Amino acid sequence: MSVSHRTRSVSCEVEMDVRESAELVWSVAVARGPELASEHLSITVDGRPVEVQELTVADGGRLHLGTAPPGRLVLTYAAEVTGHAEPATVDPVDAIVYRRPSRYAESDELGPTAWAEFSTLEGKELLDAVSSWVGTQLYYVSGSSRPTDGATQTMLLRQGVCRDFAHLVIAMLRARNVPARLVSVYAPGLSPMDFHAVVEAAIDGQWYAVDATTLAPRETLVRISTGRDASDTAFLTVQSGRADLVSMHVTATAVPDLPLDDLTRLVSLT
């Protein structure tokens, strides 16, 4: 079945205790690009609606900003994605920004390792080698990393979750002068289900998906947000006040089928 005929259904539900009035920024909506058959976002506190403002960022991601009073907050989001976005292209600013070290992808610190491991490789061969190397160097262990851990700490610990795999891939690629960025996605086929983090790397002016965890087929991934690292792509930012996470549930499915991911192919997020 062609990917153009595959429907992806995504959703999330988040519950929080708002301890004091809090300004919240959510990044859970599907980024602009693919056609949506339906979409619904609801945020309530103790059953009363919270008004939000939608803001669109340069990469097509959508932020929802609102102020929540104290109480039990419930966010629900659901979308049915029937179309596919055009593959993302690399502009001159991207080629500069996404080569730089960042908070969680310390490519300057990891440069010697990157050059020792991958000095003779370029293009797709480099992407494949870095993804394979990170996938074999790290163990995927739920809850094994701290929110403050970056790529250097991940390499020392040799374990992590999807964002840690992504940060190490990004750092290795940037150290080899390849623009690389982190993308938060809905991922049909992921187990355990959650928001997922993958990498986009630039080859010949186009972004291609790299996922060293190989936990979900790249063809079905649905972009939420894009940035230098996890500091730009968090599903929630508490800008003021206090709000504590109680529970979160994410779903993502693809029909009529979940394709096998051919790791020998270059795949763009669409």
Side-chain angles (χ1 to χ4, degrees):
M1 176 67 68
S2 167
V3 295
S4 62
H5 296 147
R6 187 176 292 116
T7 297
R8 295 163 289 177
S9 298
V10 302
S11 69
C12 68
E13 181 174 294
V14 182
E15 290 194 26
M16 305 189 72
D17 276 334
V18 181
R19 304 293 187 178
E20 58 184 66
S21 182
E23 186 179 41
L24 306 175
V25 182
W26 299 90
S27 182
V28 299
V30 172
R32 295 193 181 279
E35 181 180 349
L36 303 181
S38 62
E39 183 179 43
H40 173 74
L41 173 69
S42 170
I43 303 174
T44 62
V45 173
D46 296 335
R48 296 185 296 274
V50 174
E51 291 188 9
V52 294
Q53 176 186 8
E54 181 172 299
L55 306 171
T56 303
V57 294
D59 57 49
R62 293 185 288 154
L63 305 176
H64 289 90
L65 169 67
T67 300
R72 176 56 63 94
L73 180 147
V74 178
L75 173 143
T76 58
Y77 175 79
E80 188 171 282
V81 185
T82 54
H84 291 263
E86 291 297 319
T89 56
V90 184
D91 67 33
V93 174
D94 291 338
I96 297 170
V97 170
Y98 294 119
R99 278 190 174 101
R100 293 172 175 166
S102 61
R103 168 68 178 82
Y104 295 109
E106 310 98 321
S107 51
D108 47 355
E109 291 185 0
L110 293 172
T113 302
W115 280 98
E117 294 288 341
F118 311 113
S119 62
T120 63
L121 302 176
E122 301 288 344
K124 183 179 182 300
E125 287 187 350
L126 176 60
L127 266 58
D128 291 345
V130 170
S131 181
S132 177
W133 184 83
V134 171
T136 55
Q137 291 291 313
L138 304 184
Y139 288 96
Y140 190 98
V141 182
S142 296
S144 61
S145 61
R146 301 169 300 177
T148 55
D149 286 349
T152 302
Q153 184 69 8
T154 294
M155 194 174 76
L156 293 173
L157 294 175
R158 302 286 177 171
Q159 63 183 11
V161 294
C162 60
R163 60 167 258 165
D164 303 305
F165 279 64
H167 286 151
L168 188 51
V169 169
I170 290 169
M172 291 290 120
L173 291 174
R174 288 180 187 168
R176 283 295 329 278
N177 296 318
V178 175
R181 61 190 190 179
L182 188 141
V183 186
S184 171
V185 296
Y186 288 104
L190 184 68
S191 181
M193 183 57 67
D194 202 339
F195 294 114
H196 192 41
V198 300
V199 176
E200 279 188 314
I203 296 181
D204 297 330
Q206 187 165 317
W207 291 107
Y208 294 103
V210 180
D211 184 5
T213 72
T214 66
L215 290 176
R218 291 168 296 162
E219 285 185 359
T220 63
L221 302 179
V222 180
R223 185 190 307 270
I224 302 172
S225 59
T226 310
R228 296 164 299 172
D229 54 34
S231 60
D232 292 336
T233 59
F235 78 90
L236 171 64
T237 302
V238 181
Q239 298 212 123
S240 65
R242 180 182 172 190
D244 300 329
L245 182 66
V246 175
S247 65
M248 181 174 70
H249 182 64
V250 179
T251 66
T253 59
V255 294
D257 63 344
L258 191 66
L260 294 175
D261 195 352
D262 181 356
L263 299 180
T264 67
R265 295 177 52 241
L266 287 172
V267 173
S268 294
L269 295 181
T270 59

